[in-house]
Amino acid sequence: MDRRSFTKMVSLLAAGAYLPAVQVHAKTYLTIDQARKLLWGSEPMEQVPVTLSKDQIKAIKKASKVRVRNDKLQVWKTESGGWFIVDQVIGKHENIDLAFAYDAEGKVMGFEILTYRETYGYEVANPKWKAQFNGLDYKEHLKLDKQIKNISGATLSCRHITDGINRLSHTWEQVLRHL
């Protein structure tokens, strides 16, 4: 390779021309409003500002065995005492945006995936898989492959959604039920 060709190649590499194309997959299934209507219908609700204290974060982490990544919660309380929560969990590499419905007793009524950014594992959006969480609460620590069935090829997304539900169930028990 002559000097001129080498210099041109180095310049192109520096500019990113020789980097392989990376395909980014992200699918937005629902907006927050669409998820709210799907999970709660037309039930009136009011957004409640919630910032967790260090003690609350510590108690939630201890009870759920899951790290609390954000001290500010996006929550709405319904007139019937239920809760609508928007949260994120990590999939394998990227965040998964989720919306959850909890009844006044802290039981999962359902959840919806808002945005899924991973290249695979999207099977967690399957209604049958999501339905296995309905009626569960903080009293039982959920584990993948025990109470919750795994999906081959989506193991980390399944595990992290399960962990997220454990964390939010304990957040309801430690904080939201007292509001």
Side-chain angles (χ1 to χ4, degrees), residues 106-165:
K107 293 185 188 301
V108 176
M109 293 175 51
F111 75 92
E112 294 296 332
I113 295 176
L114 302 176
T115 304
Y116 192 84
R117 295 175 182 85
E118 296 289 351
T119 55
Y120 50 86
Y122 55 85
E123 296 89 351
V124 294
N126 182 307
K128 189 174 178 181
W129 186 82
K130 294 186 312 180
Q132 64 186 325
F133 292 94
N134 295 350
L136 302 177
D137 62 17
Y138 70 94
K139 295 174 186 162
E140 183 177 13
H141 185 75
L142 304 176
K143 286 197 143 296
L144 192 62
D145 292 326
K146 299 250 188 272
Q147 306 94 325
I148 305 302
K149 292 178 183 168
N150 188 22
I151 300 172
S152 180
T155 299
L156 290 175
S157 294
C158 291
R159 176 168 290 123
H160 295 151
I161 289 172
T162 302
D163 289 346
I165 288 176

Side-chain angles (χ1 to χ4, degrees), residues 4 6 25 61 63 71 79 106 111 117 121 123 129 167:
R4 203 171 274 211
F6 177 77
H25 295 274
K61 181 180 178 183
D71 65 344
E79 284 186 355
F111 75 92
R117 295 175 182 85
E123 296 89 351
W129 186 82
R167 178 177 45 80

